[in-house]
């Protein structure tokens, strides 16, 4: 096998899409999609755009929910991809984003209350985490690295092994984001409009 040297614009080799809900200064909820994610036991590490409303909210009110949409929800995720809760829209986002305070109206999703944190959960997500920020590290380019401790997990019974606390990986289908395309496990379900390889 021979390889070629390349320099891709993005290195999203395949990470789960998630929806992060936070609380705005006026008490309303903000919702945004993201895909920079990894977990270590009960800790999450999330990458969020520094100039987004989610990052601002977490620095001021360090609670969040993380919902993992199943692949059929990729159009709702995509509808959220180019809107921001920041007003005015930051100059760095002005070319692509527009201000939209009502993310539920844009996406068609709905909220349900959380048990232990203030931000609501996305009702349509089959796997939902409630979490509290333990550390937020700015200065990583255009991103804020958020370390958050999960304090409660909610799961659709259909994805849980009966009688256990285990998510059934055969029943669970996260939406995977790979090089600006959305995938089910093994099957493509859509793509970002900015993809350079979309048909």
């Amino acid at each position: 096998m021979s390889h070629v040297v390349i320099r891709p614009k993005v290195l999203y080799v395949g990470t789960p899409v998630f929806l992060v809900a936070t609380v705005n200064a006026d008490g309303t909820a903000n919702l945004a999609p993201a895909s920079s994610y990894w977990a270590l036991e009960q800790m999450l590490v999330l990458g969020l755009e520094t100039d987004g409303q989610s990052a601002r909210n977490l620095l001021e009110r360090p609670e969040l929910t993380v919902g993992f949409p199943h692949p059929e929800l990729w159009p709702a995720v995509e509808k959220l991809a180019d809107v921001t809760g920041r007003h005015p829209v930051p100059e760095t986002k002005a070319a692509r984003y527009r201000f939209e305070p009502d993310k539920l109206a844009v996406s068609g999703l709905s909220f349900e209350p959380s048990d232990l944190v203030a931000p609501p959960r996305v009702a349509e997500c089959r796997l939902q985490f409630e979490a509290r920020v333990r550390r937020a590290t700015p200065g990583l380019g255009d991103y804020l690295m958020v370390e958050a401790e999960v304090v409660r997990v909610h799961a659709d019974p259909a994805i849980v092994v009966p009688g256990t606390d285990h998510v059934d990986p055969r029943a669970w289908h996260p939406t995977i984001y790979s090089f600006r395309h959305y995938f089910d496990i093994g099957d493509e379900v859509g793509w970002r409009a900015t993809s350079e390889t979309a048909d």
Side-chain angles (χ1 to χ4, degrees):
M1 178 186 297
S2 61
H3 293 78
V4 296
V5 175
I6 63 172
R7 188 172 176 84
K9 289 183 180 178
V10 296
L11 298 176
Y12 290 109
V13 297
T15 56
V17 171
F18 61 93
L19 297 170
V20 58
T22 57
V23 174
N24 296 316
D26 63 3
T28 61
N30 185 65
L31 183 65
S35 60
S36 296
Y37 166 94
W38 63 278
L40 185 62
E41 294 195 354
Q42 299 301 305
M43 294 295 296
L44 308 178
V45 180
L46 311 175
L48 301 175
E49 293 178 330
T50 305
D51 56 3
Q53 187 64 28
S54 298
R56 173 183 278 181
N57 286 345
L58 287 176
L59 291 173
E60 296 173 0
R61 289 163 298 284
E63 293 185 331
L64 65 153
T65 63
V66 174
F68 295 92
H70 52 282
E72 294 80 8
L73 290 178
W74 83 266
V77 174
E78 183 63 14
K79 288 175 185 175
L80 291 169
D82 295 326
V83 296
T84 179
R86 288 283 300 270
H87 184 71
V89 175
E91 187 176 320
T92 54
K93 290 186 164 208
R96 196 178 95 200
Y97 288 77
R98 67 179 170 81
F99 171 65
E100 177 53 66
D102 189 350
K103 304 291 186 69
L104 298 184
V106 169
S107 65
L109 299 171
S110 57
F111 283 140
E112 60 186 339
S114 293
D115 295 342
L116 304 176
V117 299
R121 297 174 287 132
V122 177
E124 291 80 3
C125 289
R126 294 178 182 158
L127 187 61
Q128 311 159 342
F129 298 163
E130 297 183 33
R132 293 191 178 106
V133 175
R134 295 296 177 231
R135 181 167 50 184
T137 306
L140 301 171
D142 297 329
Y143 291 89
L144 178 72
M145 184 173 69
V146 177
E147 296 169 66
E149 181 181 4
V150 174
V151 295
R152 180 148 292 172
V153 175
H154 302 264
D156 180 337
I159 66 166
V160 177
V161 176
T164 75
D165 286 329
H166 301 297
V167 173
D168 182 349
R170 292 173 186 85
W172 170 233
H173 290 265
T175 303
I176 301 299
Y177 190 60
S178 177
F179 295 102
R180 296 183 178 155
H181 290 240
Y182 299 98
F183 289 85
D184 192 339
I185 297 176
D187 296 317
E188 183 177 7
V189 294
W191 54 85
R192 285 281 294 129
T194 57
S195 169
E196 296 176 31
T197 57
D199 295 327

